Amino acid sequence: MSKIALLCAVFFLPAVAFAGASQPVAPFSPQVPVSKELKKQLLGTPVYIQILKEERKLELYGKVGNQYRMLDSYNICKFSGGLGPKRRQGDFKSPEGFYSVGLSQLKPDSHYYRAINVGFPNEYDRQQGYQGDYLMIHGDCKSIGCYAMTDGYMADIYQYVEAALRNGQARVEISIYPFRMTDSNMARHRYSSDYSFWQQLQPAYAQFVQNNIPPTVSVSMGKYVVNRPLMGSSEPASSTLAFTQTK
């Protein structure tokens, strides 16, 4: 009887327990982008964006079947403030964490060619008292606090995000990491003052590496909570993270 009770307890572990669990993350093995022909065919499919500061990469993923495949990987022209989350107006930091984009956050006529407002501050940021606004992914290859791309790259990214949203995707999720969150990279940065914050991000990174399904993230008691993946889900659940206006 005790064995049955133990099995039931393990099976029904809550999402919060999953979020705090240590998940070993193997050395990164990059996805290979789909062919150019398939990428063109996937315009309008649900998409997911992953940004990696240290690697200066923006990765665009599209839904193929029940998983997400890399459509393309783009070099980031510029971001500012180094590693670590944005905390206050004027600190010149580019944000880290989990953000969510809807149609109202797209700006086709931005001063910086085209722009996507990532939605800073989200619920987590507000609970920490972080401040700032108009944090973007945009073109023009120059930035203070945003993620700047070449105009050509931005045109491509914007096209796929807009097409996905107009084709029925409720929100496009954006995960922004300081680096590829493998165990070796975490160990390399273990003395950083931001280490405890990065430990909150790692489970989401690990989940995507393992399942190729964008993580579903919420905020509880001032911390990010990564929920168990719904394998075979037709689309990620809508994010509870807040968003701001574009400029």
Side-chain angles (χ1 to χ4, degrees):
M1 187 70 180
S2 60
K3 289 183 178 179
I4 295 173
L6 178 60
L7 287 172
C8 290
V10 170
F11 183 78
F12 290 107
L13 279 174
V16 173
F18 174 74
S22 176
Q23 298 183 78
V25 185
F28 178 71
S29 178
Q31 280 196 35
V32 177
V34 300
S35 68
K36 291 182 180 180
E37 292 75 17
L38 180 55
K39 179 183 173 183
K40 289 179 183 178
Q41 295 173 23
L42 290 171
L43 183 64
T45 196
V47 296
Y48 167 62
I49 289 174
Q50 188 168 260
I51 292 176
L52 302 139
K53 277 186 175 180
E54 192 171 59
E55 290 79 4
R56 303 182 75 90
K57 291 289 184 182
L58 184 151
E59 297 174 341
L60 177 68
Y61 294 86
K63 193 165 188 262
V64 181
N66 287 326
Q67 295 186 327
Y68 281 69
R69 295 276 305 280
M70 184 185 287
L71 302 182
D72 223 325
S73 177
Y74 310 88
N75 292 326
I76 296 171
C77 264
K78 187 176 181 181
F79 69 89
S80 60
L83 303 184
K86 181 173 182 63
R87 292 183 170 90
R88 63 184 183 279
Q89 188 81 39
D91 64 4
F92 305 120
K93 299 278 281 191
S94 300
E96 293 174 12
F98 304 104
Y99 298 89
S100 181
V101 169
L103 273 172
S104 66
Q105 289 159 262
L106 306 187
K107 184 70 172 176
D109 56 351
S110 167
H111 296 304
Y112 303 99
Y113 181 58
R114 292 190 180 114
I116 300 171
N117 189 325
V118 302
F120 181 95
N122 62 21
E123 180 61 26
Y124 172 88
D125 300 321
R126 290 200 303 274
Q127 289 189 22
Q128 306 305 312
Y130 296 166
Q131 297 179 337
D133 52 21
Y134 303 121
L135 278 301
M136 309 279 181
I137 302 167
H138 62 64
D140 205 29
C141 208
K142 55 188 178 185
S143 171
I144 298 178
C146 297
Y147 290 97
M149 317 298 295
T150 65
D151 288 354
Y153 285 168
M154 191 62 213
D156 201 42
I157 296 161
Y158 188 98
Q159 179 186 30
Y160 277 83
V161 171
E162 181 181 41
L165 291 170
R166 293 195 182 282
N167 202 39
Q169 185 174 2
R171 314 281 303 171
V172 171
E173 306 303 321
I174 302 176
S175 299
I176 307 178
Y177 299 112
F179 41 79
R180 296 200 188 279
M181 308 204 77
T182 61
D183 289 338
S184 60
N185 279 342
M186 288 293 287
R188 183 163 56 88
H189 291 281
R190 64 187 178 277
Y191 298 119
S192 170
S193 59
D194 294 311
Y195 185 77
S196 61
F197 168 69
W198 293 337
Q199 285 180 305
Q200 297 178 48
L201 309 186
Q202 192 187 27
Y205 176 88
Q207 190 181 105
F208 185 66
V209 167
Q210 292 162 6
N211 302 315
N212 294 321
I213 297 172
T216 302
V217 181
S218 57
V219 179
S220 177
M221 300 179 66
K223 291 187 176 182
Y224 282 121
V225 176
V226 182
N227 301 303
R228 290 184 180 277
L230 298 175
M231 301 302 292
S233 172
S234 60
E235 185 176 336
S238 297
S239 172
T240 60
L241 307 183
F243 56 92
T244 56
Q245 296 180 341
T246 55
K247 70 172 179 178

